[in-house]
Amino acid sequence: MDFKKPKKNLNKGKPIEKEVDDSIDEKGLVSTTLEVNTKHLETIFEDTMDFILRPMAMGARGELKMAVGYLETMTDNISISNYFLENLSTYNYSVPEKAEDKFKDLGKILESIPAALDIEESDRWDDVLEGIVEGKAAFFLEGYDKAWIVEARMWQERAVAEPQVEAVVQGPREGFVEGLQTNVSLIRRRLRTQDLMTKPITVGTTANTNIVICYLKGVADEKLVEEVEKRIQKVSIEGVISGNVINEMIEDTPMTPFKTIATTERPDKVAASLLEGRVGIITENTPLAMIVPSVFWQFFQASEDYYERFPIATFNRIMRMFSFVLVLSLTAFYVAIATYHQEMIPTQLAITMSSIREPVPFPTVVEALLLEGILEALREAGLRLPSAAGQAVGIVGALVMGQAAVEAGLVSPQMVIIVAAAGVSSFLIPDFSFVVSLRLLKFLLILLASVFGVFGLVMGLIAIMLHLNALQSFNIPFMTPVTPFKLRDMKDIFVRAPWFAMGKEGPSADDSEQSEVKSSNDENNEQYGGEGNEEDDNKEG
């Protein structure tokens, strides 16, 4: 079934462009005539299959006429029926002698409704329509110039499950889902403090997607929070289909292959970042959260580093940083050595490599590009296929195609080893999007090495490092705390120091200490250099 694009007259804060009735106030106010209000709703939602408009009456003889409108796919029918309509039907309403006293007992009527249902009054159609499309129910009374907007939202939501990308051997198994309230609750369970702020912002001229900014009051820099809020409010787009839309529109340097805003599907990682003074951004309908500001070294830090002992975590982190060099330059370095600098290879090894490579008709650079292209195609195919089939395609495809290419004389065995080593190294880095950037730059370095040799490779690496040093994430240098160098924050960069040496105590309950932390944040941003105190989350439970 094909669904129509949402109409512009549902936009928040915009007047209704469709003329439905001459009795509707030009200012967009609710009419005192029930029939006018119901006709207005019917016209607005005339092509909406899930819109329900139900008339009703109160009193022994139906003296007080009412109507309720809602979207049945977004609203809990049971809550409306059991907690609202049932209480209204049992309310003993009597017609007053004077007409002006007709709505004098509205307060008593509302008191009969359970407190679990949040009820608001509004005389503006913009608020009424916004509430309906958000899953709320709107009630209208004959002769009353306001509508009751009842909180009864309910829709299908995926259950909390283990993260698919950031899985760990030790640690929590909970990951974000598409529900905004569920994601916020996962963070609040880990940070049980009144200082945890969750500020909502609506983005999208048509979709009206909700976004929540999370931070710890007194820990996060107020200027940082204001900057995040300012950038999100400036986003002008019809709808936020994915959190990556917000990511690209608020980052400092959009034209860069490197992501400067970290994303995660783990609530414990967001909670740890908030304890450091960072800000979390959660987008509705997206099972990911953004963390700002982010630094280069953050992409080598895995959640499991903080659930393992520090020697193991340090070894794993050094392995990831070494894999960064291999992914970028291993294939390019081999191309440069084999093409221009054979004297750097030991004589016996050079003779062996030359004899093995003799039947290969292509230059070394063509071999490298061919194998790297096949590897990327297999990797992409594995992602698009179901999980079981994808693994089979990735493993079997690489073995079969690699062996077939060697036997056919298209590539040499040593090139297969080099490309395979670089491919395996890419899986050591935890952040998938960050690895994709390295894989793209790898092809550029291969071309430079094929033309200029080791000199071209070194120039390419220098250009990449200069570019990284020029990047910023919400006005924080991307390479901090290495450039600019801050010794205090080096405890959680190349190594993961023991917890007793970290010196990260988190937010203090003392007001004087909170103000001291805040003033320190204003002077410098030293707390952005490390991953976070994620182990504190375990101690809290």
Side-chain angles (χ1 to χ4, degrees):
M1 180 181 292
D2 294 331
F3 292 93
K4 295 185 177 181
K5 183 179 178 181
K7 298 179 180 179
K8 294 294 183 179
N9 55 7
L10 298 184
N11 292 350
K12 180 180 178 182
K14 291 187 177 181
I16 300 169
E17 299 174 358
K18 196 171 186 179
E19 295 183 2
V20 294
D21 197 291
D22 294 337
S23 302
I24 295 295
D25 196 322
E26 293 181 356
K27 298 180 179 180
L29 300 178
V30 175
S31 174
T32 56
T33 306
L34 181 61
E35 184 179 0
V36 173
N37 293 329
T38 54
K39 285 184 177 180
H40 191 62
L41 284 176
E42 289 175 348
T43 307
I44 291 293
F45 296 101
E46 61 180 350
D47 296 328
T48 306
M49 69 171 188
D50 56 344
F51 178 70
I52 302 297
L53 183 61
R54 176 181 172 183
M56 63 193 72
M58 285 181 60
R61 300 179 180 178
E63 294 88 349
L64 183 59
K65 295 182 179 181
M66 305 174 62
V68 57
Y70 59 92
L71 298 174
E72 62 177 348
T73 54
M74 300 278 288
T75 309
D76 187 4
N77 299 334
I78 298 177
S79 297
I80 294 177
S81 177
N82 294 347
Y83 300 124
F84 197 88
L85 300 182
E86 185 176 340
N87 284 273
L88 290 180
S89 62
T90 58
Y91 182 79
N92 187 17
Y93 177 79
S94 58
V95 181
E97 297 180 358
K98 298 181 180 180
E100 56 269 18
D101 296 336
K102 185 177 182 180
F103 302 105
K104 190 174 182 179
D105 294 338
L106 281 182
K108 295 181 180 179
I109 297 176
L110 294 177
E111 289 177 0
S112 66
I113 308 301
L117 293 180
D118 183 25
I119 302 177
E120 298 178 358
E121 280 190 344
S122 178
D123 60 348
R124 298 191 58 82
W125 272 107
D126 287 341
D127 298 334
V128 174
L129 295 177
E130 180 188 352
I132 291 177
V133 298
E134 287 181 353
K136 301 178 182 179
F139 285 81
F140 299 88
L141 285 74
E142 177 66 44
Y144 194 55
D145 61 350
K146 293 182 180 180
W148 292 344
I149 304 174
V150 182
E151 174 63 67
R153 288 179 286 188
M154 185 193 71
W155 49 78
Q156 295 297 323
E157 185 176 294
R158 182 168 60 93
V160 176
E162 184 176 0
Q164 297 296 316
V165 178
E166 298 178 84
V168 295
V169 178
Q170 299 183 25
R173 308 287 180 176
E174 293 179 326
F176 287 125
V177 296
E178 288 74 14
L180 187 61
Q181 293 183 344
T182 303
N183 293 340
V184 173
S185 69
L186 291 174
I187 296 176
R188 193 168 289 280
R189 280 171 47 194
R190 290 165 170 78
L191 299 175
R192 301 173 186 176
T193 170
Q194 69 276 10
D195 293 328
L196 176 59
M197 303 289 108
T198 54
K199 184 178 295 186
I201 299 177
T202 302
V203 177
T205 58
T206 298
N208 292 326
T209 304
N210 294 318
I211 295 176
V212 171
I213 300 175
C214 304
Y215 64 95
L216 284 176
K217 186 178 181 181
V219 179
D221 188 358
E222 292 182 0
K223 294 181 180 179
L224 172 62
V225 177
E226 292 174 359
E227 181 67 20
V228 173
E229 185 176 0
K230 179 182 176 182
R231 293 191 187 187
I232 294 178
Q233 289 177 343
K234 283 185 176 181
V235 173
S236 179
I237 193 172
E238 283 199 1
V240 181
I241 306 302
S242 169
N244 186 61
V245 176
I246 300 297
N247 193 323
E248 291 187 10
M249 299 188 75
I250 66 174
E251 60 183 351
D252 295 63
T253 311
M255 303 302 295
T256 176
F258 296 98
K259 59 185 296 187
T260 57
I261 297 179
T263 57
T264 180
E265 53 183 350
R266 300 188 61 87
D268 57 333
K269 192 171 183 179
V270 175
S273 299
L274 298 186
L275 289 171
E276 289 184 322
R278 290 185 170 96
V279 176
I281 304 173
I282 306 176
T283 307
E284 193 174 20
N285 304 320
T286 300
L288 294 172
M290 291 173 278
I291 301 173
V292 297
S294 302
V295 295
F296 174 78
W297 315 104
Q298 191 173 340
F299 298 101
F300 298 97
Q301 298 166 343
S303 299
E304 205 161 14
D305 291 350
Y306 304 92
Y307 301 117
E308 294 279 4
R309 292 187 58 81
F310 70 92
I312 301 174
T314 299
F315 176 76
N316 291 335
R317 188 171 296 179
I318 294 175
M319 286 282 291
R320 297 188 201 110
M321 293 185 178
F322 182 65
S323 69
F324 168 79
V325 179
L326 294 182
V327 173
L328 264 183
S329 59
L330 180 60
T331 307
F333 180 74
Y334 174 78
V335 170
I337 293 296
T339 306
Y340 295 102
H341 309 284
Q342 295 89 349
E343 69 278 2
M344 297 178 63
I345 306 175
T347 305
Q348 188 61 41
L349 179 60
I351 295 173
T352 303
M353 290 173 56
S354 178
S355 61
I356 294 176
R357 198 184 173 281
E358 185 177 357
V360 178
F362 303 115
T364 306
V365 62
V366 176
E367 278 187 87
L369 294 176
L370 178 62
L371 277 180
E372 290 286 359
I374 292 175
L375 179 63
E376 294 300 325
L378 289 173
R379 196 195 313 252
E380 189 69 17
L383 292 175
R384 300 291 169 253
L385 291 173
S387 57
Q391 293 177 2
V393 168
I395 298 173
V396 178
L399 292 175
V400 172
M401 295 188 70
Q403 183 66 25
V406 172
E407 292 180 355
L410 297 178
V411 296
S412 59
Q414 56 264 31
M415 180 61 76
V416 174
I417 296 173
I418 293 295
V419 173
V424 172
S425 299
S426 67
F427 293 107
L428 270 66
I429 301 176
D431 195 284
F432 175 77
S433 300
F434 186 76
V435 176
V436 174
S437 303
L438 302 182
R439 283 155 45 190
L440 292 176
L441 293 173
K442 172 175 60 178
F443 286 94
L444 176 62
L445 292 179
I446 291 174
L447 293 177
L448 289 174
S450 66
V451 177
F452 302 104
V454 173
F455 175 78
L457 173 61
V458 172
M459 290 296 101
L461 292 175
I462 291 176
I464 292 174
M465 294 307 298
L466 291 176
H467 176 70
L468 288 172
N469 279 275
L471 294 178
Q472 289 188 337
S473 178
F474 281 79
N475 303 322
I476 301 298
F478 191 54
M479 297 297 288
T480 189
V482 176
T483 55
F485 183 73
K486 297 175 183 177
L487 180 61
R488 180 183 300 178
D489 293 333
M490 295 300 294
K491 300 175 183 178
D492 197 22
I493 301 299
F494 299 103
V495 299
R496 204 276 273 170
W499 284 114
F500 58 82
M502 284 283 200
K504 296 180 179 179
E505 300 177 357
S508 173
D510 192 347
D511 293 338
S512 62
E513 293 184 10
Q514 284 188 358
S515 60
E516 184 179 344
V517 171
K518 180 179 175 182
S519 61
S520 175
N521 291 344
D522 291 336
E523 292 176 2
N524 54 63
N525 296 281
E526 291 178 349
Q527 73 272 28
Y528 300 136
E531 162 62 46
N533 195 350
E534 296 190 53
E535 194 172 84
D536 290 347
D537 303 336
N538 293 342
K539 295 180 181 178
E540 252 189 62

